[in-house]
Amino acid sequence: MPAKKKAIKKKATKKKVAKKATKKKVAKKKVAKKKVAKKKVAKKAAKKKVAKKATKKKATKKTTKKKVAKKVVKLNTDAELFDSILELIKITSTVIPDDVQKVILESLAREEKNTTAEYAMNIIKSNIEIAKRKIQPLCQDTGTIIFYVDVPKGYIQSDFVKICHKAVVKATKLGYLRQNSVDTLTGKNETMNIGPGHPSIHFHEHNKETIDIRLMLKGGGCENVGAQYAMPYNALEAGRDLKGVRKVILDAVQKAQGKGCGPGVLGVCIGGDRGSGYINSKEQLFRKLDDENKVSELRDLEKDIVETANKLGIGPMGFGGKTTLLGCKIGTLNRLPASYYVSVSYMCWAYRRQGVTLDKSLKIKKWLY
C-alpha cells in the first residue's frame, strides 16, 4: 500500500478514536451531572424530613405542655375545689342530713304528749329548722373537723390540704365554724381552726377519677362520753364475746346519762388496738342510720342496742323519755390474741356529717347524704 494511503487511514482512525473519547467524556459529564442533581434532590428531601420532624417535635411539645397545664390545674390550688369544700362545710354545719332528721321526727312522734321529753325533742326540731333557714351552725360547738377524702391514683394530697386549710379559715370567718381550736399547752385560741391535728384529714386511694369528700363535725360534749373497754371487763362480768360486748355498750350509754346532748348515735368498733379501734368507731358514724349491717350478728346487735337503750328511761338530754339513742353502728377489726377492745364513739343529736362527689372540674356533682 502506498505511504499516502497509510497516512490517511491513520488519521481517520485517530479521528474515530478522538470522537469516541469525546463521546465518553460527554457521557461521563452527563452521568456526573445526573448524580449531582440526584444528590441535590436527596439533600432537599432530607432537609424536608428534618423540618417535618422538627415541626412534629414542636407540636408534640406544645400538646404535652397543654396536658401538663391541664393536670396542674386539677391538682394545684384551685378556685373550684375551694368553693366546693367551703360549700360542704357550710351545709354540714347548718343542715342536718335527711336520714337523721327522719329518725328525730319519728322519735318526737313516739314521745308522750306534754312531757319534758316531748318539749326537749320539739326544741331540737326547732333548732334544726332555724339553723337551716338562717344558715347558722346547728350547735355553737362546731367540733373537731374530720375529713375523709377518696382520691384517684397519683393525686397530690398536699395540694388538697392547702386548699382545705384555706376553706376552713374562710368558713370560720363567715361563721359556719366557730373559732374552736385551742393550743393544748398554752390554752390560747389564736388560729382559725388550723393547727396540729386540726382539721383532721384522712386520705384513701380509689379506682375512680372523681374525688369523694366526707366531712364530720364532732363536738366536744359527745366526744367526752365516748368509752373504751378492755375485755374481759370484770366489773360487769363481760367476757370476750358478743354478750360481753352488749353489756359494755349499754354501760357506756348508762354512764352518759344524757350528757353529750342526747339522744345520740353510737359508733362502735369491736377489736383492733386502742388507736385503730377509736378511729374505726368514728368511721361507723359515716354510715346512714337507715342502712343495714352486712354481718347478720352485728345487724341484730345494732337493733337490740337501740331498742334496749330506749327502754332505760334516760331520754333526750337525760330528762327521761323514750328516746335515748337514735341509732347504733358496729364494725369489727382484727386484733391480737392478747387484746380485745370495744371502742364506743358517741355522736350527739346534732349529727353533722355530709359528703360530696366532685367531677373532673372539681365542682360538686352529687351529695352523699
Side-chain angles (χ1 to χ4, degrees), residues 77-90:
T77 52
D78 178 290
E80 293 293 351
L81 181 57
F82 174 87
D83 290 343
S84 295
I85 296 174
L86 183 61
E87 183 67 12
L88 173 60
I89 295 170
K90 181 184 83 172

Side-chain angles (χ1 to χ4, degrees), residues 319-330:
F319 294 148
K322 299 178 180 179
T323 313
T324 300
L325 287 185
L326 300 172
C328 177
K329 302 297 173 183
I330 304 173

